[in-house]
C-alpha cells in the first residue's frame, strides 16, 4: 500500500507567519511521530501520537508549536509566528504501535524555509 | 539522562568493510535500531537488535552487547550507493511509552 505522505514538500514563508504541515500515515498505523531535522544534523523528536492522543509532547520546542491528529489518521503540525530558526525539514513517521519492536516508516518530509 | 554516541563521519573504500559504532546510556532499554538516510531522503529502517549478538541481513549486519551498552552496524562489500548517513536509535520505555531515542548520525563517505 501507500507509504507515509507529507504536504507540502516545500514551504517558504515570511517570519511571523503561521504554517501548517500535514502528514498522512500508513493506513492502519496507530502511532505517529513528528521530527525536525536541520541540515546535516540528527533527528529532533517533537511529538508522538497514539491514536488521537499525544502522550508525549516533550519535544515541542516552544508554545508556538502545536499538533493534532484526527480520526486516528491525518496529523497537522502548526507553527505560529514562525522564526528563522524554525527553518528545517519536518519529518513525519508512522508505525503499527506495537511497542517494543515497532518500526517507524518515514515520509519524505516538508522543507520549511523562513525568510 | 539518556544519550547515544556515534562517530560523526567515517570514510571507507568501495568494496571494503566498515563498522559504525554506537554507545548508549539510557534507562528502560529494550533494543537498538539502525536507520539509513541518503542526502535529501527520509530515514529508512535497516535493523533492530533486542538480544545480544549479531543479526545478518545480506551485506549489512548489526551487533548488540547489552552488558556493554554498545552496538555496531557492519557494512560489507561497500558500494557507492551505501554513501549515506546512518543513525542508531535506542528503543526505551519512558513514562509508560516506548520511544526511539536517536543518535546524531554517522556520515559514511565511500571512495572509489
Amino acid at each position: 500500500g501507500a507509504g507515509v505522505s507529507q504536504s507540502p514538500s516545500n514551504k517558504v514563508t515570511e517570519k511571523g507567519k503561521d504554517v501548517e504541515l500535514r502528514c498522512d500515515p500508513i493506513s492502519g498505523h496507530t502511532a505517529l511521530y513528528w521530527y525536525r531535522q536541520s541540515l546535516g544534523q540528527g533527528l529532533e523528536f517533537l511529538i508522538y501520537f497514539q491514536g488521537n492522543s499525544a502522550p508525549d509532547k516533550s519535544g515541542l520546542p516552544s508554545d508556538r508549536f502545536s499538533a493534532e491528529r484526527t480520526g486516528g489518521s491525518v496529523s497537522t503540525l502548526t507553527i505560529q509566528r514562525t522564526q528563522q530558526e524554525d527553518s528545517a525539514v519536518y519529518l513525519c513517521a508512522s508505525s503499527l504501535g506495537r511497542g517494543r519492536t515497532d518500526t517507524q516508516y518515514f515520509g519524505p518530509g516538508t522543507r520549511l524555509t523562513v525568510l | 539522562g539518556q544519550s547515544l554516541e556515534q562517530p560523526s563521519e567515517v570514510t571507507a573504500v568501495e568494496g571494503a568493510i566498515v563498522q559504525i559504532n554506537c554507545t548508549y546510556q539510557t534507562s528502560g532499554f529494550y533494543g537498538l535500531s539502525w536507520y539509513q538516510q541518503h542526502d535529501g531522503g527520509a530515514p529508512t529502517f535497516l535493523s533492530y537488535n533486542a538480544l545480544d549478538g549479531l543479526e545478518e541481513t545480506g551485506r549489512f549486519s548489526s551487533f548488540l552487547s547489552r552488558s556493554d551498552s554498545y552496538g555496531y552496524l557492519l557494512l560489507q562489500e561497500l558500494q557507492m550507493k551505501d554513501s549515506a548517513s546512518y543513525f542508531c536509535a535506542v528503543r526505551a520505555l519512558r513514562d509508560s511509552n516506548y520511544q526511539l531515542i536517536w543518535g546524531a548520525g554517522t556520515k559514511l563517505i565511500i571512495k572509489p
Side-chain angles (χ1 to χ4, degrees):
Chain A
V4 178
S5 61
Q6 292 185 245
S7 61
S9 55
N10 280 285
K11 176 71 176 179
V12 180
T13 190
E14 294 180 348
K15 178 181 173 182
K17 294 287 181 67
D18 297 353
V19 296
E20 281 191 356
L21 311 181
R22 177 187 168 106
C23 173
D24 282 88
I26 292 172
S27 177
H29 280 193
T30 63
L32 187 146
Y33 308 79
W34 282 99
Y35 294 91
R36 179 167 72 172
Q37 187 175 33
S38 299
L39 187 63
Q41 302 298 309
L43 295 172
E44 177 187 1
F45 169 78
L46 297 179
I47 189 170
Y48 155 64
F49 286 93
Q50 181 61 45
N52 290 335
S53 65
D56 190 347
K57 304 178 183 179
S58 62
L60 294 177
S62 76
D63 58 8
R64 297 186 295 105
F65 288 71
S66 63
E68 64 175 13
R69 189 179 185 194
T70 55
S73 180
V74 172
S75 176
T76 303
L77 177 69
T78 302
I79 309 173
Q80 296 179 309
R81 305 181 302 282
T82 52
Q83 304 294 313
Q84 288 183 332
E85 60 262 29
D86 299 335
S87 296
V89 175
Y90 288 80
L91 290 162
C92 172
S94 71
S95 70
L96 285 168
R98 288 181 180 167
R100 281 189 280 173
T101 59
D102 221 15
T103 296
Q104 295 185 12
Y105 297 86
F106 284 80
T110 294
R111 183 176 297 278
L112 175 66
T113 303
V114 182
L115 302 177
Chain B
Q2 308 195 56
S3 65
L4 286 85
E5 289 189 12
Q6 54 181 130
S8 59
E9 189 175 290
V10 171
T11 301
V13 177
E14 189 176 16
I17 299 172
V18 71
Q19 179 174 313
I20 300 174
N21 298 320
C22 175
T23 58
Y24 59 87
Q25 184 175 17
T26 185
S27 57
F29 175 87
Y30 274 97
L32 184 70
S33 297
W34 288 92
Y35 283 75
Q36 178 192 59
Q37 185 180 32
H38 286 98
D39 281 349
T44 56
F45 173 79
L46 289 178
S47 66
Y48 176 74
N49 293 64
L51 303 175
D52 286 355
L54 191 68
E55 296 275 348
E56 298 181 54
T57 308
R59 296 186 297 112
F60 292 8
S61 303
S62 57
F63 172 83
L64 175 66
S65 169
R66 296 173 67 114
S67 59
D68 295 322
S69 298
Y70 162 75
Y72 65 73
L73 180 69
L74 188 74
L75 296 84
Q76 303 182 70
E77 301 173 17
L78 285 172
Q79 302 176 10
M80 298 304 292
K81 68 178 181 180
D82 298 330
S83 295
S85 291
Y86 293 84
F87 294 87
C88 60
V90 163
R91 186 141 202 94
L93 186 62
R94 174 177 164 183
D95 295 332
S96 303
N97 293 302
Y98 291 103
Q99 286 198 3
L100 269 183
I101 302 161
W102 294 77
T106 298
K107 186 175 179 66
L108 175 61
I109 299 170
I110 300 174
K111 297 183 175 180

